[in-house]
Amino acid sequence: MSATIKDEEKYAVEHIDEHEHGLKPLDTIDRHLAVDEHPALRGLSADELHAIERRATRKLDMLLMPILFVLYILNYLDRQNISSAKLANIMVDLDMTTQQYATAVAVLFAGYVALQVPSNMLASKIAYPGVYICVMCGFWGVVSGATGAVQSYAGLAVCRVILGFCEAAFFPGAIYLLSTFYTSKQLALRASALYSGSQVGNAFGGLFAIAILNLDGHHGLAGWRWLFIVEGAMTVGLATIFAFFIPNKPTTVRWLSEQERAALNQRLEKDRGTKDATDEVSIWAAARMAVTDPKTWLLCAVLQCNYIAASVTNFWPSVVSGLGFDRTTTLAITAPPYVLCCFTIILNGWHSDKKRERAFHIMVPFLVTIVANVIAISTTKIAPRYVAMMLLPGSFYASSCIILSWIGSSITGPHAKRAVAYALINALCNTPNIWTSYLYYDSPRYVAAFSVDLAAACLTIVFAFLTRLYLARQNRKLDSGEDTGKHGPTPVQIEAGFRYVL
């Protein structure tokens, strides 16, 4: 504990002192973290520098984004294939009850939640966070493939827990990785592009399952066993290939020239108004800084309610099967809502970055979520019910991406603090996936589940508005030179004109 306190003092005590009576006179500010011009960029005009930055961003978009996009598709395929396996008689073959199936779905998130914070703490301190993510992807592919060999409910539950442990590294790690390469003006669109990967997995997972389930009986294996084996093997193969190409840090990207690396790193520092101080604090000090920051908990409340409202996706094929179609048709019609979702996610993320606004890009889509939940509760008729299903994923997931990018632009401090905040928030906000799985018992209406989703949608709007009010108040303090406390921007950032994105 004493080491942690010393680390925090090294980074934060002067910060606090500097805020006690407003900003220190310019000649007494500690500027060792102030942004300096990189030697490789000296003598360049603004147009030349801009051209280099655009070229570096384009290369990054062509390399990092496709890798994370494909890995997220695989993440969702390996996590959600249990829903397709249910339609392929996994419950009959393993002699499971409805309650046991719900538990098998839920236990994944026990492991998923437990390791997210330690995983991101590690990722923020190692030299190869991208490779680390790929390695963990390979591990979960092995576990997913092994699930095809289980012979009992107990074996399935154990595999699902271990799968959750392995998958814990990916999403918070990927979002953290994006935040180390892209500025706050670019992050919402890239987070949306990443998130659309999960929706592609949802959209075409059912169609992919139809093809794999046709292997039913080959080599004496049931179709659902082939589903786990094929998708797991695909994950292992692609993760191994990606590990050789994925960027790790802006200063070490092999595919960029020295000038492009320098421009990328300098742009990130200017965006935050400071150099990164991760090397100056221990990971435990960073964790304490994240936990004690009020913004962490405000944003956690927004995302928590968002994920509760989105929990219906864990039972999506089962909910869609309530429309009364056969297995093949049911799996096929799960795709269109997620295809629409991909477009709404990208559009909302692009517009949020363009306008430099977050709160209303969360609240407006959730008005659609509220309408869709009301329709779902009110009727079991095929047409209106399917309309509700078309609207749901695109509305609540379009908001999820904005919340995640809002975290990156609102949590001030070293990269390690932001890494912990991402993992902590995402871990806590995935706990609803454990208990909401028990709400889907009254097929086909699922009144309890949709009622909880409706209440959560309303609360998402409330907490997003409260977060906006809090950040607006912090900006007013910055405008008037008032103290914003130890969790606000540093004097160096204030001097550079830092303001929170609302």
Side-chain angles (χ1 to χ4, degrees):
M1 178 63 73
S2 61
T4 299
I5 293 174
K6 288 180 181 178
D7 282 325
E8 283 194 276
E9 286 177 350
K10 185 177 180 181
Y11 175 80
V13 168
E14 290 188 7
H15 180 147
I16 299 171
D17 292 340
E18 288 167 349
H19 276 291
E20 285 182 352
H21 302 291
L23 195 62
K24 280 186 175 182
L26 294 182
D27 59 350
T28 61
I29 292 178
D30 178 4
R31 290 193 180 81
H32 79 286
L33 292 178
V35 180
D36 300 320
E37 185 178 22
H38 194 281
L41 304 177
R42 287 173 186 163
L44 294 178
S45 67
D47 288 340
E48 289 173 328
L49 180 59
H50 182 64
I52 293 172
E53 290 176 350
R54 284 176 60 87
R55 190 164 62 247
T57 301
R58 186 166 58 250
K59 289 183 180 180
L60 203 57
D61 286 341
M62 293 173 63
L63 184 63
L64 178 61
M65 292 307 305
I67 290 176
L68 295 180
F69 180 83
V70 172
L71 289 178
Y72 205 11
I73 292 175
L74 298 173
N75 179 268
Y76 255 68
L77 287 178
D78 290 327
R79 183 191 308 179
Q80 302 293 75
N81 51 17
I82 192 171
S83 297
S84 299
K86 180 184 180 184
L87 299 180
N89 298 320
I90 189 175
M91 292 180 64
V92 175
D93 290 354
L94 299 185
D95 194 26
M96 288 194 298
T97 65
T98 302
Q99 190 79 358
Q100 287 175 326
Y101 173 78
T103 301
V105 172
V107 292
L108 175 142
F109 294 99
Y112 187 70
V113 167
L115 286 192
Q116 285 197 30
V117 173
S119 177
N120 254 28
M121 290 169 72
L122 175 63
S124 70
K125 284 294 187 178
I126 61 178
Y128 301 99
V131 173
Y132 165 70
I133 289 173
C134 290
V135 169
M136 295 306 295
C137 290
F139 285 161
W140 93 54
V142 171
V143 176
S144 179
T147 306
V150 300
Q151 300 297 322
S152 65
Y153 158 68
L156 177 64
V158 169
C159 282
R160 294 284 291 177
V161 171
I162 299 174
L163 182 65
F165 285 144
C166 297
E167 287 196 354
F170 178 71
F171 187 69
I175 290 293
Y176 163 69
L177 195 63
L178 288 180
S179 74
T180 64
F181 282 98
Y182 293 102
T183 68
S184 59
K185 297 177 182 178
Q186 301 170 317
L187 193 55
L189 178 59
R190 271 71 182 188
S192 298
L194 170 64
Y195 218 89
S196 66
S198 67
Q199 307 319 306
V200 171
N202 280 325
F204 297 103
L207 301 179
F208 195 44
I210 292 174
I212 298 175
L213 292 176
N214 286 328
L215 293 173
D216 186 32
H218 281 62
H219 300 285
L221 297 178
W224 63 266
R225 294 186 185 277
W226 281 114
L227 186 64
F228 288 112
I229 293 169
V230 171
E231 292 184 352
M234 188 167 57
T235 298
V236 173
L238 289 173
T240 302
I241 294 171
F242 291 156
F244 292 97
F245 298 98
I246 190 169
N248 290 282
K249 294 186 176 181
T251 54
T252 61
V253 182
R254 290 176 293 165
W255 317 107
L256 300 182
S257 67
E258 182 184 1
Q259 275 193 331
E260 289 167 345
R261 288 194 296 269
L264 188 64
N265 196 56
Q266 183 172 283
R267 182 184 64 184
L268 289 164
E269 291 176 349
K270 286 183 176 180
D271 179 62
R272 299 187 179 102
T274 181
K275 294 180 180 178
D276 179 41
T278 291
D279 293 338
E280 299 190 5
V281 295
S282 73
I283 194 60
W284 298 110
R288 182 169 176 172
M289 293 162 68
V291 169
T292 56
D293 192 333
K295 298 188 293 294
T296 299
W297 301 108
L298 280 169
L299 292 162
C300 184
V302 183
L303 193 62
Q304 176 88 285
C305 295
N306 181 306
Y307 280 1
I308 293 173
S311 63
V312 64
T313 56
N314 293 324
F315 281 79
W316 196 251
S318 299
V319 172
V320 176
S321 69
L323 297 176
F325 298 106
D326 59 55
R327 185 183 78 182
T328 300
T329 304
T330 295
L331 289 173
I333 64 176
T334 59
Y338 289 112
V339 173
L340 175 62
C341 179
C342 290
F343 286 105
T344 59
I345 284 176
I346 296 296
L347 179 62
N348 198 46
W350 168 79
H351 196 260
S352 176
D353 273 348
K354 181 180 180 181
K355 296 296 182 181
R356 296 270 297 161
E357 200 283 331
R358 302 292 187 249
F360 290 115
H361 286 81
I362 297 167
M363 293 187 284
V364 172
F366 257 91
L367 294 176
V368 178
T369 305
I370 290 172
V371 172
N373 275 292
V374 169
I375 295 173
I377 292 173
S378 303
T379 181
T380 56
K381 292 181 179 179
I382 293 177
R385 185 89 164 184
Y386 193 64
V387 167
M389 293 174 188
M390 286 293 296
L391 295 175
L392 280 170
S395 57
F396 50 61
Y397 280 138
S399 298
S400 301
C401 307
I402 307 305
I403 299 169
L404 292 167
S405 65
W406 211 8
I407 296 170
S409 62
S410 300
I411 301 299
T412 52
H415 284 326
K417 176 188 175 183
R418 191 164 57 257
V420 172
Y422 268 128
L424 176 64
I425 292 171
N426 199 58
L428 293 175
C429 293
N430 270 282
T431 55
N433 288 309
I434 299 174
W435 57 266
T436 54
S437 60
Y438 295 99
L439 299 176
Y440 292 85
Y441 55 82
D442 54 340
S443 177
R445 290 194 67 182
Y446 299 109
V447 174
F450 282 116
S451 296
V452 170
D453 293 349
L454 176 60
C458 295
L459 287 174
T460 301
I461 294 176
V462 171
F463 283 119
F465 185 69
L466 291 176
T467 303
R468 190 182 196 280
L469 289 179
Y470 177 82
L471 294 179
R473 182 184 177 191
Q474 297 300 105
N475 280 348
R476 286 196 296 271
K477 286 185 175 182
L478 291 172
D479 290 339
S480 60
E482 294 180 51
D483 174 28
T484 55
K486 64 179 180 179
H487 298 297
T490 64
V492 168
Q493 288 178 294
I494 296 173
E495 187 179 42
F498 176 90
R499 294 296 182 273
Y500 291 104
V501 179
L502 305 181

